[in-house]
Amino acid sequence: METGGESLLRSRSRAVNNPSTFPDLDGGSSPGRHPHGNADNRITSNGKIEVEHVISKKLQLKKKAEGLKSDLMRQFESQVHDFMDSLIEESTSLESTPLPAAFSSPLSDKERSKLGHFQPPHGHGKHFVTRRSLLDELFEVNHIRTIYHMFIALLILFILSTFVVDFLDEGRLVLDFDLLVYAFGQFPLVVCTWLCMFLSVLLVPYTLFHLWSQSQSGSRGQQRLYTWLFGSAFLLYQGLGLGFLPTFVVVTNSLPPASCFIVTIEQVRLMMKAHSFVRENVPRVLAWKKDKTSSGPVVPQVSQYLYFLFAPTLIYRDKYPRNPVTRWGYVASKLLQVLGCLFYTYYVFVRLCIPQFRSISLQLFNLRAMVLCVFNSILPGVLVLLLGFFAFLHCWLNAFAEMLRFADRMFYKDWWNSTSYANYYRTWNVVVHDWLYYYVYKDFLFISQKRFRPAAMFFVFTVSAVVHEYILAVSFGFFYPVLFCLFMCFGMMFNFIFHDRRKGPIWNILMWTSLFLGQGVIMCLYSQEWYARRYCPLKESSFLDLLKPRSWSCQRDLMAGPDKIKWDY
């Protein structure tokens, strides 16, 4: 009796000896046909086909198919770039991510019919859908949550090391948190400035838009006159009321860095909100003026505008997808995490930054000192970057979204998996990216009739770099365009070098390496300039002296010991 293995071997042997079991790869040669001098026809006289040749032939065909596939994909991507952009935008409205019952209840037919209110008014723009933040989903995985626990353990070690050092130096526990008290000084003035900015944004843009919309029912000459008048008033308010006055308050009162940062961030946020409100509603009035389908133009209600001012988005809509209930426990946990990140940043500066830069401030500025400073600043720079991302883009925005029952929580994407800087810019801060994409990039292409795409990208980089540098310059009290140069030089260069066609782990490693070095450069140079401005003040400074970096020419008394210098933050 034959075993199963012997039967299998005999069947395979018959298959090899039978040429009809193989596809005809050489132009349909029959088993009885003999070779005629063709090198590709590897059929022996008894009709057998060499198995090795067939396998190599299949591998060659596979390689050709893969090469053809990659070529076709590159051509397809270059030819339908605009179509894919619009397709991606529309596909977001079709996402149906399953949500747990604790987060959102299933939509009824009536609620599904309201999804039309969440569409952009003109059919082109951001679609808001119900979805969770990515980290909330990832933290449900134990492996990812362990990384979160590791950061908490590192915070505990920072606290213990600070307590131990203070106890050894002072003989007691020091719990004054003087750095936080200094950084958030004059906080009542910050609150008053914010209230004035918020009330002005609530009243002025809405009133101007309402008056302008009512004026569009008159004659053509009156329409142009009122458009010019109210448009000029809105631009004057944006530049003077929101642009100059808050900065004047910050500079004249010499607010400390954190207080300045709060005012300037809110200043930029409210300016972007006001622009979005006007930008999204003006086309609606113009469409009504053209069709006259109703007795008057559709003007959003004050309550809708007020909700938008607090909502964690910079794109205006009359309505947003909302959750049925507010989970106040979730809100409390996110606000506590923001507070924890604040103290985490405090200990990073106390243990890693201030001791290092105090010693560097006693050295002359040279290449060796700068290189050591940059590499020693990478760790605190990266920690501050991650803490800022987690505290603001995840915890702070999710806390406000939960209080407002705002259901679209995609404030960021998986930027840590980026293999290109183009993808990193799109996924790091989705809230700001959406505003830049729809109101700067796409409007630039619309004005230029899509003829200057590189110029549009350059303009977006310029706007982003100028705003970032403005925030840092006002917050630190000096102009040192390190971040601007990194944005415009290396940011633009890496955007084309590390483009979307770069795939694979090596590109993710290169992206993280360059990001680490960039954070080290920013932390090092700005900290050196901060201490140089404190220890080398100019008695009589000209305008050029204010623009020139003080750390390049500050000559310190190297013979004086640290105990003879009055240290300040």
Side-chain angles (χ1 to χ4, degrees):
M1 179 179 295
E2 292 181 342
T3 62
E6 294 175 348
S7 300
L8 181 60
L9 290 175
R10 291 186 178 182
S11 62
R12 289 183 177 179
S13 176
R14 287 193 298 268
V16 171
N17 293 328
N18 187 6
S20 63
T21 60
F22 290 97
D24 193 352
L25 299 176
D26 295 319
S29 299
S30 63
R33 190 177 300 173
H34 295 282
H36 299 282
N38 189 357
D40 291 333
N41 194 352
R42 303 290 184 85
I43 304 178
T44 59
S45 57
N46 57 0
K48 294 183 180 179
I49 298 178
E50 298 178 3
V51 179
E52 294 83 358
H53 173 68
V54 174
I55 295 176
S56 63
K57 197 72 174 178
K58 288 184 177 180
L59 292 176
Q60 292 176 3
L61 291 175
K62 183 178 180 182
K63 289 181 180 180
K64 290 182 180 179
E66 291 177 350
L68 180 62
K69 177 182 176 182
S70 61
D71 293 339
L72 290 176
M73 290 302 295
R74 283 196 295 268
Q75 296 176 7
F76 179 79
E77 181 181 4
S78 62
Q79 293 175 358
V80 297
H81 184 274
D82 293 336
F83 172 75
M84 292 301 296
D85 285 344
S86 61
L87 184 62
I88 292 173
E89 294 171 11
E90 294 178 3
S91 66
T92 57
S93 63
L94 304 178
E95 293 181 359
S96 58
T97 305
L99 301 174
F103 181 79
S104 175
S105 58
L107 293 177
S108 62
D109 295 337
K110 183 178 180 180
E111 290 173 333
R112 293 182 184 276
S113 65
K114 294 180 180 180
L115 287 177
H117 296 291
F118 311 142
Q119 308 295 329
H122 327 296
H124 301 283
K126 180 179 176 61
H127 297 261
F128 290 90
V129 297
T130 301
R131 48 194 165 189
R132 302 173 66 188
S133 287
L134 184 57
L135 284 183
D136 282 341
E137 297 178 346
L138 292 178
F139 282 157
E140 294 179 355
V141 181
N142 291 332
H143 303 289
I144 303 299
R145 193 166 184 82
T146 300
I147 301 177
Y148 173 71
H149 295 161
M150 293 168 61
F151 276 90
I152 296 178
L154 185 60
L155 173 61
I156 295 174
L157 293 178
F158 274 133
I159 296 174
L160 289 178
S161 64
T162 304
F163 284 171
V164 170
V165 172
D166 290 341
F167 183 80
L168 294 177
D169 292 342
E170 303 291 338
R172 61 185 179 86
L173 294 180
V174 181
L175 300 175
D176 51 3
F177 299 106
D178 50 351
L179 177 59
L180 288 178
V181 175
Y182 164 75
F184 290 92
Q186 305 185 50
F187 200 74
L189 179 60
V190 174
V191 176
C192 293
T193 305
W194 180 85
L195 285 175
C196 293
M197 288 193 300
F198 179 80
L199 292 177
S200 68
V201 172
L202 178 63
L203 298 176
V204 176
Y206 185 86
T207 303
L208 290 176
F209 174 77
H210 183 76
L211 294 175
W212 173 80
S213 63
Q214 299 301 321
S215 68
Q216 296 303 300
S217 58
S219 63
R220 185 177 298 274
Q222 290 179 342
Q223 292 176 7
R224 293 180 178 178
L225 176 63
Y226 283 118
T227 298
W228 183 88
L229 179 63
F230 289 115
S232 300
F234 176 72
L235 293 178
L236 182 64
Y237 165 73
Q238 287 277 73
L240 182 62
L242 275 181
F244 174 75
L245 292 181
T247 306
F248 179 78
V249 172
V250 166
V251 174
T252 55
N253 291 275
S254 301
L255 294 182
S259 298
C260 290
F261 190 76
I262 293 173
V263 174
T264 51
I265 284 290
E266 284 297 293
Q267 174 193 31
V268 173
R269 183 184 72 91
L270 293 175
M271 292 180 69
M272 297 169 75
K273 292 250 185 185
H275 177 85
S276 176
F277 174 76
V278 174
R279 172 64 181 80
E280 293 290 343
N281 286 285
V282 165
R284 300 166 64 178
V285 177
L286 296 179
W288 168 84
K289 184 178 67 173
K290 181 179 179 181
D291 300 333
K292 294 293 180 70
T293 56
S294 60
S295 58
V298 178
V299 179
Q301 301 177 3
V302 179
S303 59
Q304 295 173 328
Y305 180 53
L306 179 63
Y307 182 88
F308 167 65
L309 291 180
F310 283 102
T313 180
L314 297 174
I315 308 295
Y316 175 80
R317 296 289 181 269
D318 290 338
K319 294 182 180 180
Y320 300 93
R322 302 181 69 180
N323 294 326
V325 295
T326 298
R327 299 171 295 164
W328 292 106
Y330 181 86
V331 175
S333 65
K334 295 304 171 188
L335 293 179
L336 287 176
Q337 287 175 343
V338 172
L339 188 63
C341 290
L342 181 62
F343 281 98
Y344 208 137
T345 306
Y346 164 79
Y347 284 109
V348 168
F349 275 95
V350 169
R351 303 307 305 164
L352 299 179
C353 295
I354 294 178
Q356 170 188 334
F357 292 112
R358 279 180 176 175
S359 62
I360 291 177
S361 64
L362 298 175
Q363 303 174 8
L364 290 176
F365 181 85
N366 53 40
L367 181 60
R368 180 180 182 276
M370 190 187 72
V371 170
L372 292 177
C373 175
V374 168
F375 282 96
N376 291 331
S377 303
I378 289 178
L379 177 58
V382 172
L383 287 177
V384 171
L385 174 72
L386 297 178
L387 289 171
F389 159 75
F390 183 76
F392 180 73
L393 291 177
H394 179 70
C395 299
W396 185 261
L397 295 184
N398 270 291
F400 268 85
E402 189 65 31
M403 286 188 285
L404 298 172
R405 296 190 288 115
F406 187 85
D408 193 341
R409 309 290 177 86
M410 194 182 69
F411 309 127
Y412 55 88
K413 298 179 183 177
D414 57 336
W415 58 269
W416 48 86
N417 291 328
S418 298
T419 57
S420 66
Y421 267 87
N423 184 69
Y424 170 75
Y425 294 142
R426 290 192 298 264
T427 56
W428 159 258
N429 188 342
V430 175
V431 179
V432 174
H433 171 267
D434 288 340
W435 192 92
L436 290 173
Y437 178 74
Y438 290 111
Y439 301 141
V440 179
Y441 181 76
K442 295 198 73 172
D443 284 356
F444 188 97
L445 291 180
F446 175 77
I447 295 173
S448 63
Q449 299 180 353
K450 298 184 179 181
R451 290 180 297 180
F452 305 104
R453 189 180 298 273
M457 185 181 300
F458 178 80
F459 186 62
V460 170
F461 270 90
T462 303
V463 171
S464 180
V466 169
V467 173
H468 279 80
E469 190 58 46
Y470 161 76
I471 294 173
L472 292 183
V474 175
S475 300
F476 292 150
F478 56 82
F479 177 72
Y480 194 21
V482 176
L483 187 60
F484 179 83
C485 294
L486 291 178
F487 253 98
M488 297 306 297
C489 298
F490 294 99
M492 285 288 293
M493 180 178 64
F494 288 158
N495 185 63
F496 292 101
I497 296 177
F498 298 93
H499 49 74
D500 288 330
R501 295 178 183 176
R502 306 296 189 186
K503 303 295 182 182
I506 184 63
W507 296 106
N508 182 252
I509 294 173
L510 292 176
M511 194 277 295
W512 273 107
T513 303
S514 58
L515 190 63
F516 285 174
L517 286 175
Q519 289 303 120
V521 171
I522 292 174
M523 179 69 72
C524 170
L525 295 184
Y526 278 111
S527 299
Q528 282 189 338
E529 185 67 17
W530 172 269
Y531 279 103
R533 299 269 173 170
R534 294 299 180 274
Y535 303 140
C536 297
L538 297 178
K539 296 180 180 180
E540 296 180 1
S541 59
S542 63
F543 180 74
L544 293 179
D545 291 330
L546 295 177
L547 297 179
K548 181 180 179 181
R550 198 78 50 84
S551 58
W552 293 6
S553 58
C554 179
Q555 299 294 327
R556 303 174 182 84
D557 187 4
L558 300 181
M559 300 303 296
D563 55 338
K564 296 182 180 181
I565 299 178
K566 182 180 179 181
W567 295 107
D568 192 10
Y569 294 110

